[in-house]
Amino acid sequence: MAFSRNTWKLTLSYDGGDFHGWQVQPGLRTVQGLLSEAIRKVTGEEILPQGSGRTDAGVHALGQVATFDLEAGIPQQNLLRALNRALPASVRVMQAEVTPPGFHARHSACGKTYEYRIFVRRDAGTRHERICSPLLSRYVWDCRWPLDITPMQQAATTVIGEMDFSSFAANDPDASVRQGATPPTMVRTISSSEWRREGDILIYRVNGNGFLHHMVRNLVGTFVEMGCGRMSASQMPEILAARNRSISGPTAPARGLFLVEVQY
């Protein structure tokens, strides 16, 4: 019995500490590679699922999205259960659904939300040091400096809007391959950007229509410089205007970053 091809959309959650990022790389364990192998085991079809974007080694996902076409006719819940049986426990398919033809995880996306989490080892003005549990340490930046959240939040509001984020973009070796001959734009629109504290964790949450390579981690590294007094929040407009990566802060560790949601 013949079946027409269906476009499937998967919503994935994974522990990035177990992988060399999303994208397939020869000889390395990646989320895309394992998902492709799981689809082959379940359906017999050779498929390379397309993600909403690449997450780097160590970066986690609560709501990564992947799409692919299948010829096999398989009920939604059956595919969901079968893929989760074929995948390691550090990757879960949270939802599987058939979408209209032409839907694409990356090209159809209109926004993304990321969170970055910092363990507050020390409060300003105190000598007491908290110990970060090993059950938490792979999901946070265990930051050794006491941080003042006020300048961090002041700087975070500065990046809301449409602007050139060259000062927060790492060199992306694959950009020319994806963009072709067209030079990639460094302009992105950030709709929300804020810090909050929950217990011993500082959480940065940002939503935008797209993010450059390492952009969120570079923003966080700069905010932390401001939080510990090595830079001033008032420098943020100057940093943005310079369009020069060398004058912004360091790159925050990958383990504190989560892709929370992709909007369509």
Side-chain angles (χ1 to χ4, degrees):
M1 182 177 181
F3 294 92
S4 60
R5 295 184 70 86
N6 286 324
T7 299
W8 284 89
K9 173 189 174 187
L10 303 184
T11 303
L12 302 155
S13 179
Y14 50 83
D15 182 337
D18 287 346
F19 304 103
H20 291 270
W22 163 265
Q23 188 175 11
V24 164
Q25 301 175 62
L28 296 177
R29 194 170 188 252
T30 68
V31 181
Q32 188 184 37
L34 284 173
L35 181 58
S36 178
E37 177 63 16
I39 294 169
R40 186 193 63 78
K41 288 179 180 177
V42 171
T43 69
E45 298 182 41
E46 298 287 347
I47 299 292
L48 185 64
Q50 300 300 305
S52 68
R54 298 172 304 158
T55 51
D56 293 323
V59 175
H60 315 289
L62 302 176
Q64 172 70 286
V65 174
T67 50
F68 52 90
D69 290 345
L70 280 182
E71 291 183 1
I74 181 170
Q76 175 181 338
Q77 287 302 312
N78 289 6
L79 180 64
L80 182 69
R81 286 193 297 268
L83 287 177
N84 280 329
R85 284 197 298 267
L87 287 164
S90 50
V91 183
R92 291 294 86 179
V93 181
M94 308 304 293
Q95 186 176 6
E97 57 188 305
V98 175
T99 67
F103 180 85
H104 190 281
R106 180 163 60 91
H107 301 312
S108 301
C110 62
K112 292 180 182 178
T113 300
Y114 283 92
E115 281 190 357
Y116 194 94
R117 302 173 185 179
I118 298 176
F119 178 76
V120 182
R121 190 190 297 186
R122 286 200 297 138
D123 291 313
T126 70
R127 299 184 64 181
H128 172 68
E129 265 200 11
R130 301 178 183 89
I131 306 300
C132 185
S133 164
L135 301 180
L136 178 65
S137 61
R138 66 189 278 141
Y139 306 110
V140 295
W141 177 5
D142 181 4
C143 186
R144 63 189 178 92
W145 306 292
L147 299 175
D148 182 352
I149 195 174
T150 300
M152 296 168 71
Q153 175 57 23
Q154 290 172 349
T157 61
T158 308
V159 304
I160 296 175
E162 182 182 73
M163 59 193 76
D164 188 309
F165 284 94
S166 299
S167 292
F168 298 97
N171 179 51
D172 185 353
D174 296 326
S176 59
V177 175
R178 295 196 305 274
Q179 298 286 341
T182 306
T185 177
M186 297 294 183
V187 175
R188 297 292 187 272
T189 300
I190 300 301
S191 57
S192 64
S193 170
E194 63 177 0
W195 284 93
R196 70 181 189 274
R197 180 163 177 168
E198 294 185 2
D200 296 335
I201 307 294
L202 287 179
I203 301 174
Y204 175 59
R205 189 177 180 96
V206 60
N207 176 267
N209 66 351
F211 294 87
L212 302 169
H213 192 47
H214 288 182
M215 177 174 156
V216 178
R217 292 167 59 194
N218 291 337
L219 282 168
V220 170
T222 304
F223 296 147
V224 165
E225 291 292 288
M226 295 167 179
C228 65
R230 287 192 288 264
M231 298 176 74
S232 168
S234 63
Q235 292 177 254
M236 187 59 82
E238 176 188 343
I239 294 170
L240 285 161
R243 301 178 184 179
N244 183 344
R245 173 69 187 99
S246 67
I247 71 168
S248 59
T251 305
R255 62 183 174 272
L257 184 59
F258 293 75
L259 172 57
V260 175
E261 183 183 10
V262 185
Q263 291 91 35
Y264 294 95

